[in-house]
Amino acid sequence: MCSPEHFAVEYAINPWMDVTAPVDRDLAVKQWDRLRETLIGLGHEVHVLTAEPGLPDMVYAANGAFMVDGSVYGARFKHEQRAAEAAAHHAFYESQGCRFIAPSETNEGEGDFAYVPEAHGGLILAGHGFRTEIAAHAEAQEALGRPVVSLRLIDPRFYHLDVALAAIDDSNVVYFPGAFSAASQRVLTQLFPDAVVADGEDALAFGLNLVSDGANVVLNSEATRLAGKLKAAGYTPVPVELAELKKGGGSVKCCIAELRH
């Protein structure tokens, strides 16, 4: 994770960003702290990357890389405003002794990659359409040695895969069908017949931008109906309030890079 101590909405690179809307940075830090404390309370170890001035989106730590079994495929951001973030993530993963694969293709890390380790022997789900180039999917497959399933995003409000889909345990996912092309919807139905399916209201509340340890699902507190669906499916929803960070186009998952050693 990376503190939002420099968080601001100074430019608009997704439909959620409004440069005229005020941001309460102190409140953003408080909400982020609560998220970090929630993860620690659930028994997880949290590493904190040092926030750098001039990089207001660095709080969205998930976008910096994608890690599977100790190997890390680095990010190459689409927008120049975020490009410098990649070096900070690279340095962190190298300090952890990870095998780091530098990207040639544009991709935004876990923003557009999700890993489902026990689905069909271990699948990487990969989004494209707005940020990550489809060529990066092939590059990730070579880098990480896992099959990659390409999914086309068609609604700019769901500009990253992680605002439309999430792994909820080692073999299943939750997603909002309307974010995907008709063909990609068919692929998801085939791969995950027992998936939890979210509605548009919860998707627009950033409910799918969640993290799960297979039992506890940490999600945006506004996504109340999705929390109910997850509870009915046997998970424990853990709601958190992240209204300030939503102003930059992110929520729980955007703030958390998962270290899969």
Side-chain angles (χ1 to χ4, degrees):
M1 297 180 72
C2 181
S3 166
E5 61 199 76
H6 301 298
F7 177 63
V9 179
E10 298 170 342
Y11 47 77
I13 56 172
N14 67 59
W16 302 96
M17 300 176 90
D18 178 0
V19 295
T20 67
V23 169
D24 184 336
R25 191 177 291 161
D26 289 342
L27 180 56
V29 171
K30 278 182 190 162
Q31 292 177 345
W32 177 88
D33 267 330
R34 207 165 298 131
L35 173 60
R36 184 178 58 84
E37 287 161 8
T38 298
L39 296 175
I40 293 167
L42 292 171
H44 303 293
E45 183 183 357
V46 178
H47 301 259
V48 177
L49 199 60
T50 302
E52 296 180 16
L55 295 174
D57 283 343
M58 219 174 146
V59 61
Y60 304 123
N63 302 153
F66 176 56
M67 182 180 193
V68 175
D69 293 342
S71 293
V72 181
Y73 175 53
R76 185 173 180 175
F77 288 88
K78 177 172 181 175
H79 295 102
E80 62 179 352
Q81 293 96 328
R82 298 196 66 186
E85 294 176 38
H89 290 278
H90 186 175
F92 169 78
Y93 287 106
E94 294 221 314
S95 77
Q96 296 292 303
C98 301
R99 172 177 165 259
F100 188 90
I101 303 99
S104 298
E105 305 293 344
T106 299
N107 82 89
E108 299 200 346
E110 286 194 308
D112 275 320
F113 290 108
Y115 187 50
V116 195
E118 290 177 14
H120 309 276
L123 282 185
I124 294 170
L125 304 178
H128 68 98
F130 298 101
R131 295 291 185 87
T132 295
E133 296 294 334
I134 197 165
H137 297 183
E139 191 173 63
Q141 182 167 280
E142 285 300 305
L144 301 170
R146 295 286 184 280
V148 174
V149 176
S150 293
L151 301 168
R152 187 159 75 88
L153 298 163
I154 59 166
D155 184 331
R157 295 172 300 179
F158 305 101
Y159 61 95
H160 271 156
L161 182 72
D162 72 0
V163 289
L165 176 148
I168 43 175
D169 58 33
D170 285 347
S171 59
N172 205 9
V173 300
V174 56
Y175 70 99
F176 170 54
F180 298 93
S181 69
S184 293
Q185 289 182 42
R186 289 196 295 273
V187 168
L188 285 167
T189 302
Q190 184 178 329
L191 290 174
F192 302 102
D194 300 320
V196 176
V197 177
D199 63 29
E201 190 177 325
D202 281 338
L204 291 170
F206 280 78
L208 292 161
N209 195 242
L210 59 80
V211 292
S212 174
D213 58 16
N216 305 291
V217 182
V218 183
L219 79 165
N220 194 297
S221 57
E222 294 176 44
T224 51
R225 207 158 34 225
L226 181 58
K229 285 184 178 181
L230 290 164
K231 191 170 186 178
Y235 303 91
T236 301
V238 183
V240 291
E241 170 62 60
L242 279 181
E244 286 307 296
L245 293 171
K246 192 177 162 192
K247 292 174 180 177
S251 189
V252 174
K253 174 60 201 168
C254 288
C255 293
I256 300 165
E258 294 176 59
L259 306 180
R260 304 177 188 87
H261 287 289

